Amino acid sequence: MSRDTEIKYRAVTAFQRRIANPVTRRLPLQTLLETTGRVSGLPRRTPVGGRRVGDSFWLVSEFGERSQYVRNIAADPRVRVRLRGRWHTGTARLLPDDDPLARLRVLPRLNSVAVRALGSRPGLLTVRVDLDR
């Protein structure tokens, strides 16, 4: 990873951790992804943007495998997703072979712009959550 990419990663994650996530987690209609902490075993809630398509929820991680929620998914793929104020359980799948830039074109525009602006292009990673029925 280049020095500039590392600086961007540290700045974005610090902003998300200290300012953006604590605020947006409290918004009643914000989509949240709840994973189980790979070390603590505690629930970890992360505001995400994405779209439900049938029985799946799709999102793109701006820092791919460096994102803490992606690392948590790799350790335990059972997750919950809060969509429009309602919780759904499911199994998350990391899709490194999916084209994340193409995926962003079909996801909500505002979130897709933010992921492109804040993320690292080679680090983008598509995540699909297969929701339980």
Side-chain angles (χ1 to χ4, degrees):
M1 183 175 288
S2 75
R3 183 175 185 277
D4 289 342
T5 303
E6 182 64 25
I7 290 169
K8 183 177 185 180
Y9 169 77
R10 288 179 184 270
V12 169
T13 56
F15 171 76
Q16 289 173 334
R17 211 172 270 148
R18 292 184 180 93
I19 298 169
N21 290 357
V23 171
T24 56
R25 269 195 298 260
R26 290 180 173 84
L27 300 175
L29 296 179
Q30 171 66 48
T31 301
L32 294 178
L33 175 68
E34 183 181 84
T35 60
T36 300
R38 63 194 178 283
V39 175
S40 69
L42 298 173
R44 301 295 183 199
R45 292 182 177 173
T46 305
V48 295
R51 173 169 284 144
R52 183 175 182 165
V53 178
D55 289 332
S56 296
F57 178 78
W58 293 84
L59 67 124
V60 174
S61 170
E62 64 263 45
F63 289 108
E65 294 177 4
R66 291 195 73 187
S67 297
Q68 298 302 313
Y69 69 88
V70 170
R71 291 176 179 187
N72 290 342
I73 288 169
D76 180 0
R78 293 297 299 164
V79 300
R80 292 191 326 151
V81 180
R82 187 177 77 181
L83 301 168
R84 297 183 181 151
R86 186 166 169 244
W87 286 100
H88 303 269
T89 59
T91 304
R93 312 241 187 262
L94 306 177
L95 304 173
D97 294 331
D98 190 66
D99 180 353
L101 293 175
R103 183 69 53 195
L104 285 171
R105 287 193 283 276
V106 297
L107 294 178
R109 182 168 293 163
L110 182 60
N111 180 71
S112 296
V113 167
V115 168
R116 281 190 198 96
L118 300 176
S120 165
R121 288 193 199 281
L124 298 176
L125 177 66
T126 301
V127 179
R128 182 185 75 223
V129 178
D130 297 323
L131 303 171
D132 299 339
R133 291 186 167 201

